[in-house]
Amino acid sequence: MAIEQKNEPSLRPFTDPVLSEEDIEVPDDYRMVPVRFRGSGGEYFRIWIVNLLLSIVTLGVYSAWAKVRSKRYFFGNTYIEDDAFEYHATPISILKGRAISVVILLLVYLSAYISGYLQAAFLGLIVLISPWVICNSLRFNSRYTSFRNVRFLFAGRVRRAYLILFGIPLIPVGIAGVVALGSWLENSSVGAETLSLTVTLGFVGAYLLFPLIQQRFTKFRINHQHYGQLALNTRVESGHYYFVYLKMILWSALAYGLLAGLVFVIALVVGKPLQNLANPGVAGSISPAFYLVSFLPLIVLGMWFRAYMECKIRNYVFDHSKVGTHVSLRSALKISRLMLIYLGNLVLLIVTLGLAYPWTKVRLQKYRLETIQLKVWGSLDHVVGQAESSRSSFGEELGEAFDVDLDLGF
């Protein structure tokens, strides 16, 4: 089997050979391989409570070890057939990142006592380096993740991340700024309200580009990911993202409109007796309990829309992604099921004052993972064999100190 070096510019940092579709003959027969999660809330509770107590006692220093223990538990209980994933990061590596983060936050806090401009400069610097941090976080987490002793690798360039995260939204903002500046130079008597409106429209335009940014960054994140020699690939389109967001906006407008109408009707029909029922001791007032009950529909709707977005985007991304040429991904999240998990987890956390957190996390993780299936052509052993390769050392120093958890489109 011939293996050629792939010459795509976007994969230039990745120095190992990558198998292309021309190198592999894909068989006609396939089978569905499910992902299984074998962890339990009780097991994770023992890990979590020790992590929590030791992190408190050590003033947060142990949190790096806690992070590694938690990740190793979840990775080690995620199975494809009879093999689990592994997480290889060391606590010292993560502690470096935590120390850098603490120093940066401390500088931001102390700068407020010196000058508001200095604090704004520090905050601007944090925003400015965020794409660099995100790229190194992706590189870090990929580098220390493996399946069947084959490691993952992220080879995306920081420059590309800046173009997606900063370049796209700056287009409408920049156009609005140029228009505002040109209008002012042409006629210095132009009112501040007009200039402000022009710039505001630019930011609105940037906000409307968010689905495009999410789609582009999802492609960037997946298409520069490798499992050994095998490249991951996704073919998501921005039109689908806009369609999902448009439907969510329409559903939101309808749902919140109906809710507002219902509240208005209740106020007209019940009126002051409702207030008296809410707080009979004080005429014309509303008790905190009444506000809490009134906000419950808003909480339920918020959970539903969150579940809707996650299911629609995640299923779409997985259903249009492949690993090499022999494995396609499938996701079957259900909106109603996910919303019930969100609501159940919220109730558990409130009732137990947060002590049920391990059960809620395991419950959600188990559902997300076990709705994933791999559509495998041929043998999974053959796929892993194709993936085996030496790992590139690119970015090991840069990625050493960053372990930020990301959820940027899945």
Side-chain angles (χ1 to χ4, degrees), residues 33-39 72-86 147 369-370 372 374 380:
V33 179
V35 177
R36 293 284 179 256
F37 183 74
R38 300 180 182 177
R72 285 179 179 172
Y73 177 78
F74 280 96
F75 277 66
N77 282 284
T78 302
Y79 283 81
I80 299 176
E81 292 190 333
D82 294 324
D83 297 283
F85 287 80
E86 294 181 88
F147 177 73
L369 290 172
E370 295 194 347
I372 298 173
L374 280 63
L380 191 59

Side-chain angles (χ1 to χ4, degrees), residues 376-395:
V376 181
W377 282 265
S379 168
L380 191 59
D381 293 331
H382 182 58
V383 174
V384 175
Q386 292 170 350
E388 290 177 349
S389 69
S390 59
R391 260 70 65 186
S392 168
S393 60
F394 175 80

Side-chain angles (χ1 to χ4, degrees), residues 138 142 152-155 221-227 230-232:
L138 291 169
S142 296
F152 290 82
L153 172 72
F154 178 74
R221 181 179 180 180
I222 297 177
N223 290 348
H224 292 85
Q225 188 74 243
H226 300 267
Y227 173 58
L230 299 181
L232 276 68

Side-chain angles (χ1 to χ4, degrees), residues 79-379:
Y79 283 81
I80 299 176
E81 292 190 333
D82 294 324
D83 297 283
F85 287 80
E86 294 181 88
Y87 185 70
H88 306 276
T90 60
I92 296 299
S93 299
I94 295 176
L95 191 60
K96 293 177 184 178
R98 297 283 168 90
I100 294 173
S101 300
V102 169
V103 170
I104 292 175
L105 292 176
L106 187 61
L107 288 174
V108 172
Y109 176 77
L110 294 177
S111 64
Y113 292 94
I114 301 174
S115 169
Y117 293 107
L118 182 61
Q119 185 181 41
F122 273 117
L123 292 174
L125 180 61
I126 293 174
V127 173
L128 188 62
I129 68 172
S130 58
W132 179 80
V133 173
I134 289 171
C135 276
N136 283 285
S137 173
L138 291 169
R139 187 174 296 121
F140 179 94
N141 285 295
S142 296
R143 175 192 169 203
Y144 290 114
T145 303
S146 71
F147 177 73
R148 288 194 178 183
N149 296 319
V150 178
R151 297 224 183 182
F152 290 82
L153 172 72
F154 178 74
R157 285 187 162 188
V158 176
R159 182 179 64 184
R160 180 65 176 170
Y162 271 97
L163 288 174
I164 295 172
L165 298 176
F166 284 173
I168 295 177
L170 282 178
I171 292 174
V173 175
I175 292 174
V178 170
V179 170
L181 180 61
S183 300
W184 183 79
L185 291 175
E186 183 178 349
N187 183 6
S188 58
S189 63
V190 174
E193 296 81 3
T194 302
L195 297 178
S196 175
L197 177 62
T198 304
V199 175
T200 301
L201 289 175
F203 282 101
V204 171
Y207 180 78
L208 293 176
L209 290 176
F210 178 77
L212 175 63
I213 297 170
Q214 188 179 9
Q215 176 261 344
R216 292 293 176 87
F217 195 85
T218 298
K219 290 188 70 174
F220 170 75
R221 181 179 180 180
I222 297 177
N223 290 348
H224 292 85
Q225 188 74 243
H226 300 267
Y227 173 58
Q229 290 192 79
L230 299 181
L232 276 68
N233 178 266
T234 187
R235 296 181 179 180
V236 293
E237 301 293 337
S238 58
H240 184 83
Y241 280 73
Y242 275 100
F243 179 71
V244 171
Y245 275 92
L246 180 60
K247 286 184 65 177
M248 187 198 69
I249 291 172
L250 294 176
W251 278 113
S252 299
L254 178 62
Y256 288 118
L258 290 174
L259 183 60
L262 180 62
V263 172
F264 181 73
V265 169
I266 292 176
L268 288 178
V269 174
V270 181
K272 193 170 181 179
L274 178 61
Q275 297 178 351
N276 293 337
L277 180 62
N279 192 353
V282 181
S285 64
I286 304 295
S287 72
F290 176 76
Y291 281 117
L292 178 61
V293 173
S294 300
F295 279 118
L296 285 178
L298 294 177
I299 295 173
V300 173
L301 283 175
M303 294 278 186
W304 191 90
F305 288 120
R306 178 182 175 185
Y308 174 84
M309 291 300 299
E310 180 173 346
C311 290
K312 292 297 182 180
I313 297 296
R314 185 184 178 94
N315 289 347
Y316 176 68
V317 172
F318 271 77
D319 292 350
H320 289 78
S321 300
K322 299 179 69 176
V323 181
T325 56
H326 282 65
V327 179
S328 293
L329 305 178
R330 295 290 181 268
S331 175
L333 284 177
K334 301 296 182 184
I335 300 173
S336 57
R337 173 63 176 159
L338 187 59
M339 187 194 73
L340 289 175
I341 290 176
Y342 283 153
L343 287 174
N345 286 352
L346 179 62
V347 172
L348 282 174
L349 289 174
I350 293 174
V351 171
T352 63
L353 301 179
L355 289 178
Y357 172 76
W359 282 271
T360 63
K361 184 170 183 178
V362 166
R363 187 184 179 207
L364 182 58
Q365 187 79 344
K366 182 179 178 67
Y367 178 66
R368 284 173 171 167
L369 290 172
E370 295 194 347
T371 53
I372 298 173
Q373 286 189 318
L374 280 63
K375 188 177 182 180
V376 181
W377 282 265
S379 168

